[in-house]
Amino acid sequence: MITSTSKSFETVLENLKGENKLFLVGCGDCATICKTGDEDTVKAMKAKLEENGKTVTGWIVVTPACNVGKLRKEFKAVKQQIDDSDSILVMSCGLCVAAVIDAVEQVKPVHPGTDTGFGGETIRFGQFTERCSMCGECILEDTGGICPVTMCSKGLLNGPCGGYKNGKCEVDPELDCGWMMIYERLGKLNKLDKMEPLRKPKNFAKWKRPRKLVLTDEQKFGKKKTTNE
Amino acid sequence: MSQLKESLTKGKFVITSEIGPPKGTNIMPHIEEAEHFLKGKVAAINVTDIQSAVMRFGSLATCRLLVEHGMEPVLQMVCRDRNRLALQSDLLSAAGLGIENVLCLTGDHQVMGDHKDAKGVYDLDSVQLLAAAKGLTEGHDMSGNKLDGTPNLFLGAVVTPESEPVEPQIIKMKKKILAGAQFFQTQAVYDIDRFASFMDKVRGFGVPVMAGIVVLKSAGMAKFMNANVAGVKVPENLIEEMKKMKTEEDKIKKGVELAAKVINGVKKYCQGAHIMPLGWDKHVPSIIAQCDLS
């Protein structure tokens, strides 16, 4: 789940200065769960923009709006409305903004309507927490499934600093110390020896941006057909 | 050769102290103060590295000034502000500037300081920094490239004996030794019995430990540390003793007396004491004078 929070309406208006006709894009997946790009929020944005003298040429909620192929397909039905707009406001995460730019045929400004947060675990409805930093070099096997890159405010790999107090982190008395969580969990699993080996620094070459992943045809479609089959 | 290393190797009970550079360029009064109150009285002087994440004059430059004034520095290096390129480069620079003792620390989080919006680096952690530094002393950098000129470094690390639980500290201490730590300075110690029991757990590691001594300036300071500083526990009886002191003069006298008392108390359990005077540099000689260092 990619979390997002809506930018203030004032900021959105400021960003749309000089552009009067807008097309809105929401997302039926993460941004719907986060209430930043669901149908109701998109409609409310439409109404508010109209109250402020803008024209909304049309809107669409795509599930998910980070899928370029899906966007291209669904944009066909609203081509005229996009053609008529000065610009597009994407009410979803940064991935969707990028996907809309890649998908839309017309060259026009595409505005982000939200601030993108993090890859979140859903604790319960409306409550999300970051548990993974998507670093490309997973060490959860050795840390009881709790990520120190994410859960330790300093991302330390070899155990806690001296800043824990009552199980909490030095940066915030409300914040659990990630290494205390790891220590306690490994203790319960009787695997505290996992804390002992020296852990080498992260390989940030794996974090070289922008990252991409391309599956082979075999990965996509299963085992290659051979002539004998 | 590092006098600190020599003294610790010989098994002498070693006293070190510490200075914190200023926010600004007025470094010379600090050097002069160190020269006046610490030179010849302590084996070496730590220089904190952007202490508490409050931006200030640099540790490396301060260490070099101490060298120029005939004092032996301990360069503190935190992982918060530099990546592995800069940390290794600064270690080479230190050696080139006649600085041999290095204390490797994680560093307080940037939100604790005065540039809360800064990007914390933490490319390496303290264990990895020690390993990198040890690699340099063996003639290669972290990528395995051969060095043109190998630094001599005496590598130190820190441990917090009063952390609860203390076991993760001890696990990490072992890792620091494996990585290259040759001596330890601890977070503040006040309770002799608790420190003795900590030392029982780590004595077998065979690496010298210097007990951290933070000089109490007032009962209020003690209470503040108990409430806010992780791993610091000032016992109630010491706070009560401080509380009775009304005049500034009495407070100084009591703070000095209590610091010396802790040093005398921990002496038989560890290999030295590291006095953190937090601005009370001028009282360090009185503390040492009250210590039985024979």
Side-chain angles (χ1 to χ4, degrees):
Chain A
M1 231 283 297
I2 306 295
T3 66
S4 57
T5 50
S6 299
K7 285 185 183 288
S8 74
F9 186 70
E10 291 70 33
T11 303
V12 171
L13 266 190
E14 178 65 28
N15 293 343
L16 297 178
K17 223 176 195 173
E19 295 157 9
N20 292 317
K21 289 180 276 175
L22 303 157
F23 184 80
L24 312 183
V25 179
C27 171
D29 204 334
C30 308
T32 286
I33 298 168
C34 287
K35 301 284 171 194
T36 50
D38 58 299
E39 204 173 305
D40 288 347
T41 308
V42 172
K43 282 183 188 162
M45 175 60 83
K46 175 179 183 285
K48 243 175 153 183
L49 286 169
E50 286 168 348
E51 276 168 33
N52 282 271
K54 306 279 188 191
T55 303
V56 174
T57 61
W59 59 271
I60 190 171
V61 174
V62 182
T63 310
C66 59
N67 183 328
V68 175
K70 195 105 193 253
L71 284 169
R72 280 194 183 134
K73 209 167 143 196
E74 300 204 15
F75 278 171
K76 279 182 188 154
V78 287
K79 185 180 179 299
Q80 192 57 53
Q81 297 167 16
I82 297 175
D83 278 344
D84 291 345
S85 71
D86 296 329
S87 64
I88 301 171
L89 175 64
V90 178
M91 298 174 64
S92 183
C93 73
L95 301 182
C96 295
V97 175
V100 168
I101 291 171
D102 288 344
V104 78
E105 287 170 8
Q106 304 87 335
V107 177
K108 22 186 113 224
V110 177
H111 299 280
T114 77
D115 290 309
T116 308
F118 50 88
E121 172 193 320
T122 306
I123 304 285
R124 58 175 71 92
F125 180 61
Q127 197 176 325
F128 315 99
T129 182
E130 186 176 24
R131 299 299 297 261
C132 170
S133 298
M134 306 178 185
C135 72
E137 205 183 12
C138 190
I139 57 167
L140 290 176
E141 187 57 42
D142 297 327
T143 55
I146 297 166
C147 175
V149 177
T150 311
M151 305 304 286
C152 167
S153 61
K154 301 173 185 173
L156 305 179
L157 298 182
N158 277 293
C161 66
Y164 58 92
K165 194 178 174 76
N166 305 321
K168 304 293 179 182
C169 174
E170 69 181 20
V171 312
D172 178 355
E174 299 295 314
L175 185 68
D176 289 325
C177 164
W179 271 105
M180 281 305 104
M181 294 169 71
I182 294 169
Y183 168 72
E184 280 163 20
R185 178 151 168 84
L186 288 176
K188 283 181 197 159
L189 296 171
N190 209 15
K191 284 184 176 173
L192 265 182
D193 57 311
K194 292 235 181 200
M195 273 180 77
E196 304 218 349
L198 295 192
R199 184 164 293 286
K200 286 189 174 161
K202 281 203 87 66
N203 176 5
F204 282 97
K206 291 193 174 178
W207 214 325
K208 204 174 75 190
R209 284 175 163 154
R211 293 179 282 179
K212 63 178 175 184
L213 171 68
V214 182
L215 299 188
T216 61
D217 282 350
E218 201 177 336
Q219 286 170 317
K220 283 191 284 189
F221 306 117
K223 218 174 171 190
K224 263 187 209 162
K225 279 188 180 171
T226 64
T227 45
N228 291 336
E229 273 181 324
Chain B
M1 182 181 168
S2 152
Q3 290 301 305
L4 177 64
K5 182 179 182 178
E6 203 176 319
S7 303
L8 285 170
T9 309
K10 278 185 184 157
K12 274 169 63 178
F13 189 81
V14 179
I15 304 276
T16 54
S17 192
E18 165 173 313
I19 61 170
K23 187 187 258 311
T25 55
N26 277 335
I27 187 65
M28 286 325 288
H30 296 261
I31 301 297
E32 283 154 18
E33 212 175 276
E35 200 166 16
H36 195 73
F37 299 111
L38 305 176
K39 188 176 178 178
K41 297 182 182 70
V42 297
I45 301 164
N46 285 36
V47 181
T48 53
D49 181 14
I50 315 189
Q51 187 175 11
S52 309
V54 173
M55 193 287 295
R56 57 184 82 212
F57 196 90
S59 179
L60 185 55
T62 307
C63 285
R64 173 60 195 178
L65 289 169
L66 288 178
V67 170
E68 284 172 10
H69 288 76
M71 289 168 273
E72 181 169 311
V74 178
L75 173 71
Q76 294 198 182
M77 265 192 141
V78 303
C79 298
R80 179 192 56 234
D81 308 317
R82 285 161 288 184
N83 70 4
R84 63 192 82 179
L85 290 163
L87 287 167
Q88 291 181 98
S89 173
D90 280 357
L91 284 166
L92 295 181
S93 302
L97 292 170
I99 297 151
E100 204 176 326
N101 310 313
V102 180
L103 190 78
C104 301
L105 312 97
T106 306
D108 290 328
H109 195 279
Q110 58 277 9
V111 307
M112 314 283 280
D114 66 351
H115 287 62
K116 296 183 193 303
D117 48 359
K119 179 176 185 181
V121 179
Y122 302 109
D123 183 25
L124 304 183
D125 63 25
S126 54
V127 173
Q128 294 157 349
L129 174 57
L130 284 159
K134 189 184 178 193
L136 295 177
T137 66
E138 293 165 350
H140 61 84
D141 68 14
M142 286 178 72
S143 294
N145 301 307
K146 201 168 169 288
L147 301 178
D148 175 16
T150 299
N152 263 328
L153 299 170
F154 184 48
L155 300 173
V158 298
V159 64
T160 307
E162 293 271 26
S163 279
E164 265 183 61
V166 75
E167 191 183 13
Q169 288 291 315
I170 293 174
I171 294 171
K172 196 163 181 182
M173 186 178 177
K174 276 195 274 188
K175 294 171 86 162
K176 287 178 176 180
I177 295 166
L178 270 174
Q182 296 163 283
F183 70 99
F184 281 83
Q185 290 175 333
T186 77
Q187 176 57 290
V189 168
Y190 293 99
D191 188 301
I192 313 294
D193 293 339
R194 284 206 301 259
F195 182 70
S197 102
F198 169 78
M199 284 308 298
D200 283 344
K201 295 185 183 105
V202 305
R203 192 166 294 114
F205 298 169
V207 173
V209 173
M210 306 177 73
I213 309 294
V214 171
V215 188
L216 289 181
K217 296 178 178 176
S218 66
M221 171 198 178
K223 283 186 199 159
F224 176 85
M225 288 198 298
N226 280 351
N228 299 297
V229 182
V232 176
K233 286 181 200 142
V234 186
E236 275 306 312
N237 63 319
L238 297 193
I239 299 178
E240 285 307 312
E241 275 193 59
M242 280 309 291
K243 221 183 245 172
K244 286 178 202 151
M245 302 301 123
K246 298 300 173 205
T247 68
E248 204 49 35
E249 202 180 315
D250 283 345
K251 283 180 190 167
I252 292 168
K253 217 174 132 193
K254 182 53 83 180
V256 165
E257 181 196 315
L258 292 175
K261 207 168 148 185
V262 177
I263 295 175
N264 287 327
V266 297
K267 202 187 144 197
K268 62 177 168 185
Y269 302 110
C270 62
Q271 289 69 45
H274 173 62
I275 304 171
M276 295 170 261
L278 307 179
W280 273 17
D281 304 28
K282 59 172 177 276
H283 304 304
V284 173
S286 321
I287 297 172
I288 296 172
Q290 289 185 37
C291 292
D292 172 21
L293 298 174
S294 56

